[in-house]
Amino acid sequence: MCSCFEIKVKGAKFGPRTGLLSTGHGVISSPFFMPVATKGAVKFVTHEELQMDMGVECLISNAFINYLNPGLSLIAKAGGLHKFMGWDKGLFTDSGGFQLILDHFVHKISDKGVVFRNPFDKSLELVSPEKAILIENALGSDVAMCLDHQPVFGKSRTDYLDSLIRTIEWAEVCKKTFDKNENKINKKQLLFGITQGGVHIDLRVKAAQALNEIGFDGIAIGGFGIGEAQRDMYNVISASKKVIPEHKPVYVMGIGSPLELLNAVGCGADIFDSAYPTRMARHGLIFTHSGPLKIDRGVHKQSFVPLDNECGCFVCKKYSRAYLHHLYKTHEQNGLLLLSYHNTFFVTNLMKNIRTSINEGTFWEFKKDFEKKYVGKS
Ligand SMILES: [Zn+2]
Protein backbone atom coordinates (compact mmCIF):
# COMPACT_ATOMS: atom_id res chain seq x y z
CA MET A 1 0.00 0.00 0.00
CA CYS A 2 1.28 3.44 -0.94
CA SER A 3 2.13 5.47 2.14
CA CYS A 4 3.15 8.53 0.14
CA PHE A 5 -0.33 10.01 -0.12
CA GLU A 6 -2.62 10.99 2.71
CA ILE A 7 -6.18 12.09 2.05
CA LYS A 8 -7.02 15.16 4.14
CA VAL A 9 -10.60 16.12 3.30
CA LYS A 10 -12.94 14.34 0.93
CA GLY A 11 -16.56 14.94 0.10
CA ALA A 12 -18.63 12.52 -1.91
CA LYS A 13 -17.02 9.30 -3.08
CA PHE A 14 -14.91 9.88 -6.23
CA GLY A 15 -15.42 13.64 -5.82
CA PRO A 16 -12.99 16.47 -5.04
CA ARG A 17 -10.51 15.89 -2.24
CA THR A 18 -7.48 17.48 -0.62
CA GLY A 19 -4.44 15.50 0.37
CA LEU A 20 -0.72 15.51 1.08
CA LEU A 21 1.88 13.92 -1.19
CA SER A 22 5.09 13.13 0.73
CA THR A 23 8.23 13.37 -1.37
CA GLY A 24 11.97 13.46 -0.78
CA HIS A 25 11.74 17.27 -1.06
CA GLY A 26 8.79 18.06 1.14
CA VAL A 27 5.10 17.43 1.50
CA ILE A 28 2.93 18.87 -1.29
CA SER A 29 -0.67 19.91 -0.70
CA SER A 30 -3.05 18.54 -3.30
CA PRO A 31 -4.80 19.11 -5.59
CA PHE A 32 -1.85 20.93 -7.16
CA PHE A 33 -0.72 22.21 -10.54
CA MET A 34 2.89 21.82 -11.72
CA PRO A 35 4.36 24.47 -13.99
CA VAL A 36 6.42 22.84 -16.75
CA ALA A 37 10.21 23.22 -16.65
CA THR A 38 11.05 21.01 -19.66
CA LYS A 39 14.73 21.99 -19.79
CA GLY A 40 14.96 22.80 -16.09
CA ALA A 41 13.32 26.23 -16.17
CA VAL A 42 9.76 27.50 -16.51
CA LYS A 43 9.68 29.81 -19.51
CA PHE A 44 9.89 33.48 -18.43
CA VAL A 45 9.23 32.74 -14.72
CA THR A 46 12.08 32.26 -12.21
CA HIS A 47 12.24 29.62 -9.47
CA GLU A 48 12.28 32.43 -6.90
CA GLU A 49 9.04 33.89 -8.24
CA LEU A 50 7.43 30.45 -8.34
CA GLN A 51 8.48 29.52 -4.83
CA MET A 52 8.53 32.83 -2.93
CA ASP A 53 5.71 34.75 -4.61
CA MET A 54 3.37 31.98 -5.68
CA GLY A 55 4.10 29.17 -3.21
CA VAL A 56 4.63 26.60 -5.99
CA GLU A 57 5.64 23.33 -4.31
CA CYS A 58 6.34 21.18 -7.36
CA LEU A 59 7.59 21.41 -10.97
CA ILE A 60 7.86 18.85 -13.77
CA SER A 61 10.88 18.52 -16.01
CA ASN A 62 11.57 16.28 -19.00
CA ALA A 63 13.97 13.42 -18.31
CA PHE A 64 14.84 12.73 -21.94
CA ILE A 65 15.60 16.36 -22.80
CA ASN A 66 17.87 16.68 -19.73
CA TYR A 67 19.52 13.39 -20.61
CA LEU A 68 20.39 14.70 -24.08
CA ASN A 69 21.50 18.11 -22.92
CA PRO A 70 23.28 18.91 -20.61
CA GLY A 71 23.56 15.12 -20.06
CA LEU A 72 23.60 12.81 -17.06
CA SER A 73 27.30 13.09 -16.21
CA LEU A 74 27.11 16.86 -15.82
CA ILE A 75 23.90 16.66 -13.81
CA ALA A 76 25.48 13.94 -11.62
CA LYS A 77 28.49 16.22 -11.00
CA ALA A 78 26.07 18.90 -9.81
CA GLY A 79 24.52 16.35 -7.42
CA GLY A 80 21.29 15.60 -9.33
CA LEU A 81 18.66 17.58 -11.19
CA HIS A 82 17.35 19.45 -8.11
CA LYS A 83 20.82 20.83 -7.30
CA PHE A 84 21.65 21.53 -10.94
CA MET A 85 18.42 23.53 -11.32
CA GLY A 86 18.67 25.17 -7.90
CA TRP A 87 15.18 23.89 -7.01
CA ASP A 88 14.76 22.23 -3.61
CA LYS A 89 11.02 21.53 -3.67
CA GLY A 90 9.06 18.72 -5.36
CA LEU A 91 10.08 17.69 -8.86
CA PHE A 92 8.48 15.21 -11.26
CA THR A 93 10.20 13.97 -14.41
CA ASP A 94 8.27 12.80 -17.43
CA SER A 95 9.98 9.98 -19.29
CA GLY A 96 9.45 11.72 -22.60
CA GLY A 97 6.17 10.08 -23.52
CA PHE A 98 4.53 13.29 -24.58
CA GLN A 99 7.21 13.80 -27.16
CA LEU A 100 5.95 10.65 -28.90
CA ILE A 101 3.20 12.59 -30.57
CA LEU A 102 5.67 14.94 -32.18
CA ASP A 103 6.80 13.52 -35.49
CA HIS A 104 10.04 15.45 -35.61
CA PHE A 105 11.12 13.84 -32.32
CA VAL A 106 10.19 10.24 -33.02
CA HIS A 107 11.97 8.13 -35.59
CA LYS A 108 10.43 4.75 -34.77
CA ILE A 109 8.38 3.04 -32.05
CA SER A 110 8.66 -0.68 -31.45
CA ASP A 111 8.10 -3.02 -28.51
CA LYS A 112 11.73 -2.37 -27.52
CA GLY A 113 11.11 1.31 -26.94
CA VAL A 114 11.23 4.58 -28.80
CA VAL A 115 13.91 5.70 -31.19
CA PHE A 116 14.06 9.46 -30.73
CA ARG A 117 15.70 11.93 -33.01
CA ASN A 118 18.02 14.02 -30.87
CA PRO A 119 16.81 17.59 -31.48
CA PHE A 120 20.27 18.94 -30.66
CA ASP A 121 22.44 16.98 -33.10
CA LYS A 122 19.81 14.97 -35.09
CA SER A 123 21.37 11.61 -34.08
CA LEU A 124 19.09 8.65 -33.29
CA GLU A 125 18.73 7.33 -29.74
CA LEU A 126 16.78 4.28 -28.48
CA VAL A 127 15.00 4.89 -25.19
CA SER A 128 13.78 1.56 -23.81
CA PRO A 129 11.55 1.43 -20.72
CA GLU A 130 14.61 0.27 -18.71
CA LYS A 131 16.67 3.17 -19.96
CA ALA A 132 13.90 5.70 -19.26
CA ILE A 133 13.79 4.61 -15.61
CA LEU A 134 17.58 4.53 -15.19
CA ILE A 135 17.72 8.08 -16.57
CA GLU A 136 15.06 9.24 -14.10
CA ASN A 137 16.81 7.42 -11.23
CA ALA A 138 20.04 9.22 -12.15
CA LEU A 139 18.30 12.61 -12.30
CA GLY A 140 16.90 12.01 -8.80
CA SER A 141 13.45 13.51 -9.32
CA ASP A 142 10.87 12.98 -6.58
CA VAL A 143 8.41 11.26 -8.91
CA ALA A 144 9.54 9.30 -11.96
CA MET A 145 7.02 8.53 -14.70
CA CYS A 146 6.96 5.30 -16.71
CA LEU A 147 7.70 5.43 -20.43
CA ASP A 148 4.37 5.37 -22.24
CA HIS A 149 3.20 5.25 -25.83
CA GLN A 150 0.86 8.07 -26.65
CA PRO A 151 -0.84 7.82 -30.03
CA VAL A 152 -1.60 10.85 -32.13
CA PHE A 153 -5.10 12.20 -31.37
CA GLY A 154 -7.87 10.81 -33.55
CA LYS A 155 -6.34 7.38 -34.22
CA SER A 156 -8.55 4.29 -34.45
CA ARG A 157 -9.62 2.22 -31.45
CA THR A 158 -7.21 -0.50 -32.58
CA ASP A 159 -4.33 1.97 -32.48
CA TYR A 160 -5.34 3.07 -28.96
CA LEU A 161 -5.56 -0.58 -27.87
CA ASP A 162 -2.11 -1.31 -29.32
CA SER A 163 -0.62 1.70 -27.53
CA LEU A 164 -2.29 0.65 -24.29
CA ILE A 165 -0.92 -2.91 -24.50
CA ARG A 166 2.56 -1.59 -25.22
CA THR A 167 2.31 0.98 -22.41
CA ILE A 168 1.34 -1.74 -19.90
CA GLU A 169 4.16 -4.03 -21.04
CA TRP A 170 6.59 -1.14 -20.66
CA ALA A 171 5.10 -0.30 -17.24
CA GLU A 172 5.96 -3.80 -16.01
CA VAL A 173 9.55 -3.39 -17.20
CA CYS A 174 9.73 0.11 -15.67
CA LYS A 175 8.56 -1.17 -12.28
CA LYS A 176 11.02 -4.09 -12.26
CA THR A 177 13.90 -1.81 -13.28
CA PHE A 178 12.92 0.77 -10.65
CA ASP A 179 12.71 -1.80 -7.85
CA LYS A 180 15.98 -3.47 -8.84
CA ASN A 181 18.10 -0.31 -9.03
CA GLU A 182 19.73 0.26 -5.65
CA ASN A 183 21.74 3.23 -6.88
CA LYS A 184 18.96 5.81 -6.96
CA ILE A 185 20.28 9.18 -5.88
CA ASN A 186 16.86 10.04 -4.41
CA LYS A 187 16.10 7.20 -2.03
CA LYS A 188 12.53 8.43 -1.60
CA GLN A 189 11.83 8.58 -5.35
CA LEU A 190 8.31 7.45 -6.26
CA LEU A 191 7.14 5.80 -9.49
CA PHE A 192 3.83 6.52 -11.23
CA GLY A 193 2.28 4.43 -14.01
CA ILE A 194 0.45 6.04 -16.94
CA THR A 195 -2.80 4.91 -18.57
CA GLN A 196 -3.50 5.31 -22.27
CA GLY A 197 -6.60 4.40 -24.29
CA GLY A 198 -7.79 7.74 -25.64
CA VAL A 199 -11.43 8.46 -24.88
CA HIS A 200 -12.40 4.77 -24.83
CA ILE A 201 -13.67 4.21 -21.31
CA ASP A 202 -13.28 0.41 -21.36
CA LEU A 203 -9.65 0.70 -22.50
CA ARG A 204 -8.88 3.28 -19.82
CA VAL A 205 -10.45 1.09 -17.13
CA LYS A 206 -8.49 -1.90 -18.37
CA ALA A 207 -5.26 0.13 -18.29
CA ALA A 208 -5.90 1.40 -14.73
CA GLN A 209 -6.66 -2.13 -13.52
CA ALA A 210 -3.46 -3.46 -15.10
CA LEU A 211 -1.41 -0.69 -13.45
CA ASN A 212 -3.09 -1.43 -10.09
CA GLU A 213 -1.89 -5.01 -10.35
CA ILE A 214 1.68 -3.97 -11.11
CA GLY A 215 1.57 -1.65 -8.09
CA PHE A 216 2.60 1.98 -8.51
CA ASP A 217 2.80 4.85 -6.01
CA GLY A 218 0.35 6.83 -8.14
CA ILE A 219 -1.57 6.57 -11.40
CA ALA A 220 -1.39 9.11 -14.19
CA ILE A 221 -3.99 9.50 -16.93
CA GLY A 222 -1.96 10.37 -20.01
CA GLY A 223 -2.72 11.48 -23.50
CA PHE A 224 -4.92 14.50 -22.83
CA GLY A 225 -4.58 18.14 -23.80
CA ILE A 226 -4.16 17.35 -27.50
CA GLY A 227 -7.60 17.89 -29.00
CA GLU A 228 -10.11 15.55 -27.37
CA ALA A 229 -13.54 16.83 -26.30
CA GLN A 230 -13.48 18.01 -22.69
CA ARG A 231 -16.59 16.00 -21.79
CA ASP A 232 -14.84 12.79 -22.93
CA MET A 233 -11.83 13.64 -20.80
CA TYR A 234 -13.94 14.13 -17.65
CA ASN A 235 -15.76 10.83 -18.34
CA VAL A 236 -12.40 9.06 -18.56
CA ILE A 237 -11.20 10.62 -15.28
CA SER A 238 -14.44 9.66 -13.48
CA ALA A 239 -14.40 6.09 -14.81
CA SER A 240 -10.70 5.69 -13.95
CA LYS A 241 -11.26 6.96 -10.40
CA LYS A 242 -13.74 4.15 -9.81
CA VAL A 243 -11.10 1.47 -10.37
CA ILE A 244 -8.02 3.21 -8.92
CA PRO A 245 -7.61 2.49 -5.18
CA GLU A 246 -8.69 5.51 -3.15
CA HIS A 247 -5.31 5.98 -1.44
CA LYS A 248 -3.45 6.41 -4.75
CA PRO A 249 -2.85 9.93 -6.04
CA VAL A 250 -4.35 10.49 -9.51
CA TYR A 251 -2.42 12.72 -11.92
CA VAL A 252 -4.09 14.04 -15.10
CA MET A 253 -1.25 14.93 -17.45
CA GLY A 254 -1.24 17.88 -19.80
CA ILE A 255 -4.15 20.04 -18.67
CA GLY A 256 -3.84 23.56 -17.34
CA SER A 257 -6.69 25.86 -18.33
CA PRO A 258 -8.67 27.22 -15.36
CA LEU A 259 -11.92 25.50 -16.36
CA GLU A 260 -10.24 22.15 -17.09
CA LEU A 261 -8.52 22.22 -13.71
CA LEU A 262 -11.76 22.97 -11.88
CA ASN A 263 -13.64 20.21 -13.67
CA ALA A 264 -10.90 17.62 -13.29
CA VAL A 265 -10.65 18.37 -9.54
CA GLY A 266 -14.43 17.89 -9.42
CA CYS A 267 -13.88 14.41 -10.91
CA GLY A 268 -11.46 13.61 -8.06
CA ALA A 269 -8.06 14.21 -9.72
CA ASP A 270 -5.16 15.36 -7.53
CA ILE A 271 -2.24 16.45 -9.73
CA PHE A 272 -1.90 18.38 -13.01
CA ASP A 273 0.75 19.84 -15.27
CA SER A 274 0.72 21.86 -18.44
CA ALA A 275 2.71 24.46 -20.30
CA TYR A 276 -0.64 26.03 -21.25
CA PRO A 277 -0.56 29.05 -18.86
CA THR A 278 2.91 30.21 -19.93
CA ARG A 279 2.44 29.29 -23.59
CA MET A 280 -0.85 31.21 -23.72
CA ALA A 281 0.82 34.21 -22.03
CA ARG A 282 3.41 34.26 -24.81
CA HIS A 283 0.53 34.24 -27.31
CA GLY A 284 -1.09 37.15 -25.48
CA LEU A 285 -3.99 35.13 -24.02
CA ILE A 286 -4.43 36.21 -20.42
CA PHE A 287 -6.52 34.52 -17.72
CA THR A 288 -8.73 36.82 -15.66
CA HIS A 289 -11.58 36.19 -13.24
CA SER A 290 -13.93 37.67 -15.87
CA GLY A 291 -12.67 35.26 -18.53
CA PRO A 292 -9.67 35.17 -20.84
CA LEU A 293 -8.61 38.29 -22.72
CA LYS A 294 -6.31 38.89 -25.70
CA ILE A 295 -3.84 41.61 -24.76
CA ASP A 296 -3.03 42.44 -28.40
CA ARG A 297 -6.56 43.71 -29.09
CA GLY A 298 -6.86 47.43 -29.85
CA VAL A 299 -9.45 47.82 -27.09
CA HIS A 300 -6.62 47.60 -24.51
CA LYS A 301 -4.50 50.36 -26.09
CA GLN A 302 -5.91 53.05 -23.83
CA SER A 303 -7.13 50.87 -21.00
CA PHE A 304 -5.50 52.03 -17.77
CA VAL A 305 -6.97 49.27 -15.62
CA PRO A 306 -5.16 46.12 -14.42
CA LEU A 307 -5.30 42.84 -16.35
CA ASP A 308 -7.51 41.47 -13.57
CA ASN A 309 -8.96 43.52 -10.69
CA GLU A 310 -9.30 40.42 -8.55
CA CYS A 311 -5.74 39.14 -9.04
CA GLY A 312 -3.27 39.83 -6.23
CA CYS A 313 -0.11 39.51 -8.35
CA PHE A 314 2.36 42.39 -8.62
CA VAL A 315 1.70 42.77 -12.35
CA CYS A 316 -1.98 43.49 -11.68
CA LYS A 317 -1.12 45.77 -8.74
CA LYS A 318 1.36 47.84 -10.71
CA TYR A 319 0.79 47.79 -14.47
CA SER A 320 -2.09 48.70 -16.77
CA ARG A 321 -3.48 46.78 -19.72
CA ALA A 322 -2.36 49.74 -21.88
CA TYR A 323 1.28 49.31 -20.82
CA LEU A 324 1.23 45.52 -21.24
CA HIS A 325 -0.49 45.91 -24.64
CA HIS A 326 2.30 48.30 -25.67
CA LEU A 327 5.06 45.89 -24.52
CA TYR A 328 3.37 42.97 -26.27
CA LYS A 329 2.80 44.82 -29.56
CA THR A 330 6.39 46.09 -29.62
CA HIS A 331 7.78 42.59 -28.89
CA GLU A 332 9.43 43.82 -25.70
CA GLN A 333 10.64 40.72 -23.80
CA ASN A 334 9.63 42.19 -20.45
CA GLY A 335 6.03 42.01 -21.64
CA LEU A 336 6.33 38.23 -21.94
CA LEU A 337 7.89 38.07 -18.46
CA LEU A 338 5.03 40.02 -16.89
CA LEU A 339 2.27 38.15 -18.74
CA SER A 340 3.82 34.72 -17.99
CA TYR A 341 4.09 35.71 -14.33
CA HIS A 342 0.43 36.73 -14.16
CA ASN A 343 -0.92 33.57 -15.85
CA THR A 344 1.18 31.28 -13.66
CA PHE A 345 0.16 33.22 -10.53
CA PHE A 346 -3.48 33.01 -11.62
CA VAL A 347 -3.46 29.21 -11.98
CA THR A 348 -1.43 28.66 -8.80
CA ASN A 349 -3.79 30.93 -6.86
CA LEU A 350 -6.79 29.14 -8.36
CA MET A 351 -5.44 25.83 -7.03
CA LYS A 352 -4.97 27.40 -3.58
CA ASN A 353 -8.58 28.62 -3.61
CA ILE A 354 -9.76 25.21 -4.81
CA ARG A 355 -7.97 23.52 -1.88
CA THR A 356 -9.47 26.00 0.59
CA SER A 357 -12.96 25.45 -0.83
CA ILE A 358 -12.63 21.66 -0.57
CA ASN A 359 -11.36 21.94 3.01
CA GLU A 360 -14.28 24.21 3.88
CA GLY A 361 -16.84 22.04 2.07
CA THR A 362 -17.72 24.77 -0.45
CA PHE A 363 -16.04 23.45 -3.63
CA TRP A 364 -19.19 23.17 -5.76
CA GLU A 365 -20.34 26.71 -4.87
CA PHE A 366 -16.83 28.01 -5.54
CA LYS A 367 -16.78 26.23 -8.92
CA LYS A 368 -20.18 27.57 -9.89
CA ASP A 369 -19.26 31.17 -8.94
CA PHE A 370 -15.92 30.96 -10.76
CA GLU A 371 -17.50 29.56 -13.94
CA LYS A 372 -20.30 32.10 -13.85
CA LYS A 373 -17.84 34.98 -13.94
CA TYR A 374 -15.34 33.25 -16.24
CA VAL A 375 -17.70 32.22 -19.02
CA GLY A 376 -20.88 34.03 -18.06
CA LYS A 377 -22.47 30.63 -17.37
CA SER A 378 -25.37 30.50 -14.91
ZN1 LIG B 1 -2.23 39.25 -11.96
Short mmCIF file of all heavy atoms in Angstrom, two decimals, residues 311 313 316 342, ligand 1:
data_model
loop_
_atom_site.label_atom_id
_atom_site.label_comp_id
_atom_site.label_asym_id
_atom_site.label_seq_id
_atom_site.Cartn_x
_atom_site.Cartn_y
_atom_site.Cartn_z
N CYS A 311 -7.00 39.88 -9.18
CA CYS A 311 -5.74 39.14 -9.04
C CYS A 311 -4.83 39.91 -8.09
O CYS A 311 -4.72 41.12 -8.18
CB CYS A 311 -5.08 38.98 -10.41
SG CYS A 311 -3.47 38.16 -10.33
N CYS A 313 -1.52 39.56 -7.93
CA CYS A 313 -0.11 39.51 -8.35
C CYS A 313 0.43 40.92 -8.58
O CYS A 313 -0.32 41.87 -8.77
CB CYS A 313 0.06 38.63 -9.59
SG CYS A 313 -0.07 39.46 -11.18
N CYS A 316 -0.64 42.88 -11.73
CA CYS A 316 -1.98 43.49 -11.68
C CYS A 316 -2.02 44.67 -10.72
O CYS A 316 -2.79 45.61 -10.91
CB CYS A 316 -3.01 42.44 -11.28
SG CYS A 316 -3.25 41.22 -12.58
N HIS A 342 1.85 36.61 -14.54
CA HIS A 342 0.43 36.73 -14.16
C HIS A 342 -0.32 35.41 -14.39
O HIS A 342 -1.05 34.95 -13.51
CB HIS A 342 -0.26 37.86 -14.93
CG HIS A 342 -1.75 37.75 -14.87
ND1 HIS A 342 -2.49 38.21 -13.80
CD2 HIS A 342 -2.64 37.16 -15.71
CE1 HIS A 342 -3.77 37.91 -13.99
NE2 HIS A 342 -3.89 37.29 -15.15
ZN ZN B 1 -2.23 39.25 -11.96
#
